[in-house]
Amino acid sequence: MLGVEMLGKFVDQKAQEKYFATYDAILRKWPVPSEELDVETRFGPTHVRRSGTGQGTPIVLLHGVMGTSLSWYPFVAELAARHTVYAVDTIGEPGRSVQTRPVQSGQDQADWLADVLAGLSHEKFHLVGISRGAWLALDLATRSGDRISSVIAIEPGGFGTIGPRFVLWSFGQMFRWLLPAPILRRIFSGDPYARRTLAPLVIRGLKYKPHFPPQHVFTDDELRAIDVPVHFVLAERNGVFNARELAARVEALNPRLHAEIVPKTTHALPLEEPELVISRILTLVAENSRLTE
């Protein structure tokens, strides 16, 4: 019984049905042909969406908390034009993955991601993560780089404590996303329609009870242990850590770690600067591919 209680789940069947109706409506906006995969892992089948047929090392996209793979829909067309791209629904969060075993530790989360990569049947991958997704990629890299060609960590977790102020900011952002697009265009940079599209999914996901351990804060020794190229993309006004201090720290600890700070951005950096994010991913994947392939 304890194990069942430690699995992510919706509060009731009605909440689940509404959530997946919204999920499927957004999925119809996925801008390129895709193949739906369910990859077996020791924690349950993980849903992955494959797009693109490019040669070379594929890209794996890891979303932030509650975002699901669909949060990558504004970015995937340009990425998939040049690369094979896999967008993942993280286990233990709302989405099409089905958790069957509790994820109780950082090692469990790393084992889950390692299982996903093994199930995709490529030797290496470029991991691109946002927020918690970036934390998952970095955490695996601190333990093993066997299947990793590079990591692009956009506003990663694991470098500070999330306090009440950041939580309030996050909820404020989410509900403002429901405002009409003309108003959103005046108060936010980036594409207002992406926010309007994704907001209902995130809000309906609030009726899902996730279950995963907290993100631990990375130690200096863990960061020194990373043996693959990592590029941090940090928001100047992220609200959790001091971006300049973090950039200086990681670059001093490990020559394979590099960081940039995007001025006047917040933790919502991917939605505020979508073209910059796409450009960085394509450029860094190309550079790291030349170094590692």
Side-chain angles (χ1 to χ4, degrees), residues 9-262:
K9 61 181 179 180
F10 285 94
V11 296
D12 55 42
Q13 185 66 27
K14 184 177 181 180
Q16 179 173 309
E17 290 172 357
K18 287 185 175 180
Y19 180 86
F20 284 119
T22 302
Y23 185 106
D24 290 342
I26 297 173
L27 178 56
R28 289 192 284 273
K29 297 180 182 291
W30 196 259
V32 291
S34 63
E35 178 185 6
E36 306 290 316
L37 309 172
D38 288 299
V39 178
E40 291 300 327
T41 77
R42 69 196 83 177
F43 301 95
T46 295
H47 197 71
V48 180
R49 186 168 301 103
R50 173 178 175 154
S51 302
T53 58
Q55 298 299 310
T57 302
I59 298 171
V60 171
L61 302 175
L62 300 167
H63 60 81
V65 171
M66 309 286 283
T68 79
S69 58
L70 296 177
S71 63
W72 290 100
Y73 95 86
F75 309 89
V76 72
E78 292 185 62
L79 301 180
R82 307 186 194 184
H83 301 275
T84 299
V85 177
Y86 295 96
V88 180
D89 280 357
T90 302
I91 207 88
E93 298 188 41
R96 288 289 182 190
S97 296
V98 180
Q99 188 178 13
T100 59
R101 174 183 163 189
V103 177
Q104 302 184 74
S105 66
Q107 185 62 59
D108 282 352
Q109 292 181 117
D111 289 343
W112 163 76
L113 182 53
D115 287 353
V116 172
L117 300 183
L120 294 176
S121 302
H122 296 272
E123 184 178 347
K124 295 275 188 178
F125 300 87
H126 298 286
L127 304 186
V128 180
I130 294 173
S131 191
R132 183 168 184 262
W135 181 88
L136 288 167
L138 289 168
D139 182 60
L140 180 59
T142 67
R143 301 168 191 270
S144 171
D146 288 349
R147 288 188 175 272
I148 304 174
S149 280
S150 70
V151 175
I152 300 172
I154 304 167
E155 273 297 282
F159 294 98
T161 302
I162 296 176
R165 184 175 178 180
F166 181 80
V167 173
L168 287 173
W169 173 85
S170 298
F171 277 99
Q173 286 271 312
M174 180 172 59
F175 286 103
R176 281 198 291 271
W177 289 1
L178 295 171
L179 293 170
I183 297 175
L184 284 174
R185 190 178 290 108
R186 289 198 295 269
I187 64 175
F188 291 120
S189 58
D191 181 2
Y193 296 100
R195 292 179 172 88
R196 288 274 298 172
T197 297
L198 295 169
L201 187 72
V202 176
I203 290 171
R204 286 189 168 164
L206 295 174
K207 291 193 175 182
Y208 182 92
K209 294 181 178 180
H211 194 281
F212 48 81
Q215 300 169 158
H216 74 269
V217 175
F218 292 112
T219 66
D220 287 356
D221 286 344
E222 287 173 322
L223 296 173
R224 289 190 190 100
I226 295 175
D227 195 31
V228 298
V230 177
H231 189 87
F232 292 81
V233 182
L234 309 175
E236 182 180 38
R237 304 169 180 170
N238 71 81
V240 177
F241 51 76
N242 183 301
R244 297 192 185 283
E245 291 178 359
L246 175 56
R249 176 192 172 202
V250 299
E251 291 187 344
L253 286 172
N254 188 330
R256 310 211 74 176
L257 310 186
H258 300 279
E260 69 171 303
I261 299 168
V262 184

